Structure formats: structure tokens, C-alpha cells
Amino acid sequence: MTAPVANFMTDADKLSAGRLNPTRATVRTIAKEVCEWTGHSYLAVMGRSQRADDCRVRDLVCFIAHRNGMSLSMIGRAFGRDHTTIMAAVRREQARRDAAAKASTGASDE
């Protein structure tokens, strides 16, 4: 007779096993979290708003989603946009980050 599997697993084992196969984040969950952090409207960011601050947050969501392994097409479908639009958003956010890093190190083009 064998012992039930549950007897072999401690609470710590159950917690670590739960982390082995985490649920994959979606573009919408990333957008909701970023909107909470920034205080922007989720509907404005996911919608067609052309306000500069909404576009900046949208670029950030695209950048984070792409960095987490989502394809440009997948991100584009979530926003109702073409993959090339998402590619431009990712590049804009990367350029902002590069400029901020360059400014913080005091480097110049001279």
C-alpha cells in the first residue's frame, strides 16, 4: 500500500510547485497594472486616445509586453492595431529609456 502524495508535500513544497507553472500575463493584465501605477484610464490607454500622456503609457505597455516575450502581432491584436504600430511604440519607449540613461550618466554627443 502506498501513502497518498499529499503526505509527501509540505506547505513550502506546494508553494514552490505553484510557482513552477505561473499563469502567463496578458497584454490586458499588463495594461491594467501599468494604468494603476500611472493613474491613467485603462479605457483611454487601450482605446484610440491620442493624448500624449495616454500614448506614452500605451508605449510603455507595449514595451513591457514585448520584453515579456509577447509577439508584436499578439500585442497589436489586444490594442486593435497593426504589428508595425506596436514595433514603433516599442522603439519609442526604448529610445526614451536610452535617452534617460544617457542623461543620467552625463554623457554627451560632443
Side-chain angles (χ1 to χ4, degrees):
M1 193 189 288
T2 60
V5 175
N7 291 343
F8 294 111
M9 292 185 71
T10 65
D11 289 334
D13 293 335
K14 291 174 186 174
L15 284 174
S16 64
R19 285 188 234 119
L20 290 177
N21 210 357
T23 57
R24 186 171 179 168
T26 64
V27 175
R28 288 181 174 82
T29 57
I30 292 170
K32 286 176 185 174
E33 292 222 8
V34 170
C35 288
E36 284 179 22
W37 295 334
T38 61
H40 283 81
S41 165
Y42 171 77
L43 294 176
V45 170
M46 293 300 288
R48 295 289 177 183
S49 173
Q50 293 181 355
R51 288 182 43 196
D53 56 340
D54 291 336
C55 291
R56 173 77 193 266
V57 173
R58 189 178 300 127
D59 290 352
L60 180 60
V61 170
C62 293
F63 179 82
I64 292 170
H66 187 63
R67 187 181 63 195
N68 284 331
M70 295 180 197
S71 71
L72 298 173
S73 296
M74 181 187 303
I75 300 166
R77 280 191 299 273
F79 281 102
R81 290 170 171 81
D82 188 73
H83 76 279
T84 57
T85 304
I86 304 305
M87 185 184 338
V90 170
R91 288 179 179 169
R92 274 192 305 270
E93 183 60 28
Q94 185 62 54
R96 285 185 195 108
R97 289 168 181 255
D98 292 344
K102 188 175 181 179
S104 69
T105 60
S108 66
D109 289 334
E110 297 178 53

